[in-house]
Amino acid sequence: MLFHLFCVVVGFLCGYLMIHWLPPVTPFHFVHFITELIFNPLRSFLAMVCFLIGFLANAVVIRTIMAGVILWLQRKQVRWGEWLISCCGASGSFYWLFQSETKLTVLFFIFAFIYGMISLDFRRSRGYKRDL
């Protein structure tokens, strides 16, 4: 359960730092955006690293949510504490990130959701308790 709470916190912090370190995208001016990325290489690199770590952490949380829903629909045992932490943490995290920057958060969520769904293995549903 602590691992999922850690993933929620890391996902939120990395998303916040990514949004803070990237140049503003509203209103979007391509020349200004590229110029900021080129003239601030450390901030750009750190924003990209935060994006990668954050969407991987959120993908773990989304995978846990989807695996719990699938197991619940199959009438199998679900760890409700971990599922509840993942659901509340992910929804709260993305809500606060949406409040600060909508476009970057949508991109962040799409990457995390797609990778979380790709990493979901339906044949390993018997090993669900072992993985958590």
Side-chain angles (χ1 to χ4, degrees):
M1 187 165 2
L2 289 176
F3 175 71
H4 295 287
L5 186 61
F6 176 74
C7 286
V8 167
V9 170
V10 166
F12 175 75
L13 287 177
C14 286
Y16 176 76
L17 290 174
M18 180 224 20
I19 289 170
H20 181 70
W21 284 335
L22 279 178
V25 293
T26 52
F28 186 74
H29 298 290
F30 184 73
V31 174
H32 176 69
F33 185 78
I34 295 298
T35 305
E36 286 291 321
L37 289 179
I38 291 172
F39 287 132
N40 294 321
L42 181 62
R43 283 180 66 175
S44 302
F45 177 74
L46 291 176
M48 290 177 211
V49 168
C50 284
F51 179 80
L52 179 68
I53 293 171
F55 96 78
L56 289 175
N58 283 322
V60 170
V61 173
I62 290 172
R63 183 183 67 201
T64 302
I65 293 169
M66 295 309 294
V69 168
I70 290 168
L71 287 175
W72 180 72
L73 291 174
Q74 293 175 348
R75 308 270 190 231
K76 294 183 181 179
Q77 184 180 2
V78 178
R79 290 183 157 184
W80 291 105
E82 293 174 355
W83 188 81
L84 188 64
I85 284 177
S86 296
C87 284
C88 293
S91 61
S93 171
F94 283 115
Y95 172 77
W96 289 109
L97 290 176
F98 271 114
Q99 296 299 317
S100 59
E101 184 64 50
T102 306
K103 292 178 183 177
L104 290 176
T105 305
V106 167
L107 182 70
F108 192 59
F109 176 75
I110 288 171
F111 271 86
F113 185 78
I114 289 173
Y115 190 75
M117 295 305 287
I118 288 172
S119 66
L120 190 62
D121 190 6
F122 295 112
R123 290 178 286 152
R124 282 188 16 204
S125 64
R126 288 173 295 235
Y128 174 71
K129 290 190 276 186
R130 184 172 28 96
D131 291 341
L132 298 177

